[in-house]
Amino acid sequence: MTEQLNDRGWQSLIDRGMEWLPARLRRGVTVVPVVRLSGVIGAVTPLRPGMTLVGLARTLERAFAVSNAKAVALLVNSPGGSPVQSHQIFVRIRQLASEKKLPVLAFVEDVAASGGYMIACAADEIFCDPSSILGSIGVVGGSFGLTELIRKIGVERRLYTAGEHKAMLDPFLPEDRDDVARLKAIQREIHAIFIALVKQSRGARLKGADDVLFTGEYWAGTTSVSLGLADGIGDLRSTLRARFGEKVLTPVVAPATGLLSGLFGRRAPGAGSLSLSDGLTGLPEELISALESRAIWAKFGF
């Protein structure tokens, strides 16, 4: 009898102690940590950091290490950017998913296009809003031709190189067909890598032909589902509650901010370490970056 009372007493103490724990640490609670992946990928200037693996690595590791996690959710809202950073983020997510044996669910907000869609493909399932934009599976590059401008304003171009193609596609020199052919060959190679990644990720779920899916075109959410680029229409809260129950917890795992963020290397490259003169010197570059970022978003109507 005494042993039974002792057992009950200890259990009561344990139960009361559990009440003081954060909800996500309590036994029997289902947790799906959420990571927000938003913005242009890899477009980094001192004052305008884009998404990079360096900036996201620690956040992703923390999300996959959450106690009681049954899955990890990604909120994706990106028009794309650097193919290298997109692929590296994709690879890291898949590595963590494999190591922790956790399914990954992606929820597209406004846009998951180009590199943004590549990152979404790191998920086992992709959900979107009917008005979300998905796709743009292609590669793009651009520049300006300024030879006539510098001629009209009387500027003489002086360029010294070692290497036959070191000045390839210089905007102040006349366009060279061979240089353009070399660039397009590189783009085709990167495009082929992108296509292979999508096919491996989506597999038999893809329903469109290659000459439809991989032309760089993009679609609204409902059509994307019909083409197999996404698995269904649904928002994060409703989808996770339907799958894991009404009491599922969805803590957002965000990068650290404030004084301690710099100590752990989470600060974006250059951010928070600029003097006033550094900031003023970087303003032209910052303006160009802002315009480029705006142009990428505008391509998809945002």
Side-chain angles (χ1 to χ4, degrees), residues 87-297:
H87 187 253
Q88 289 185 347
I89 294 168
F90 169 93
V91 170
R92 179 58 62 87
I93 293 170
R94 291 315 312 161
Q95 288 172 341
L96 290 168
S98 176
E99 291 170 8
K100 302 296 184 179
K101 295 179 172 56
L102 287 175
V104 180
L105 307 176
F107 296 87
V108 178
E109 296 186 313
D110 296 308
V111 182
S114 195
Y117 183 70
M118 181 183 288
I119 291 176
C121 283
D124 299 287
E125 296 177 73
I126 300 174
F127 299 90
C128 59
D129 185 87
S131 299
S132 298
I133 298 296
L134 290 83
S136 192
I137 302 168
V139 181
V140 64
S143 183
F144 297 94
L146 303 175
T147 52
E148 289 300 311
L149 175 63
I150 64 173
R151 181 184 63 80
K152 288 180 179 179
I153 63 177
V155 176
E156 180 184 355
R157 173 67 162 160
R158 296 176 179 175
L159 185 67
Y160 311 100
T161 67
E164 183 181 355
H165 302 295
K166 188 62 179 177
M168 186 175 77
L169 300 175
D170 187 300
F172 295 100
L173 295 176
E175 186 177 68
D176 185 292
R177 291 183 178 179
D178 291 339
D179 288 348
V180 174
R182 292 187 189 93
L183 174 63
K184 293 186 75 65
I186 293 172
Q187 289 179 324
R188 286 193 294 272
E189 184 175 353
I190 296 172
H191 192 198
I193 294 169
F194 195 173
I195 292 171
L197 181 149
V198 173
K199 286 186 172 181
Q200 180 180 6
S201 172
R202 302 299 299 165
R205 289 174 289 184
L206 292 174
K207 300 180 179 68
D210 285 9
D211 58 2
V212 173
L213 295 175
F214 305 128
T215 63
E217 188 177 355
Y218 47 88
W219 301 270
T222 303
T223 302
S224 298
V225 172
S226 69
L227 291 171
L229 296 175
D231 296 284
I233 300 296
D235 65 280
L236 182 144
R237 187 172 185 271
S238 300
T239 302
L240 294 184
R241 284 192 167 197
R243 182 163 301 191
F244 298 106
E246 291 293 319
K247 295 184 179 181
V248 62
L249 298 178
T250 55
V252 176
V253 182
T257 58
L259 178 63
L260 294 179
S261 62
L263 298 178
F264 295 97
R266 295 174 190 169
R267 183 175 295 162
S273 60
L274 298 175
S275 67
L276 178 60
S277 60
D278 291 332
L280 293 175
T281 302
L283 284 178
E285 183 182 5
E286 180 66 15
L287 177 60
I288 293 172
S289 175
L291 291 172
E292 289 177 341
S293 177
R294 180 67 262 165
I296 294 173
W297 280 108

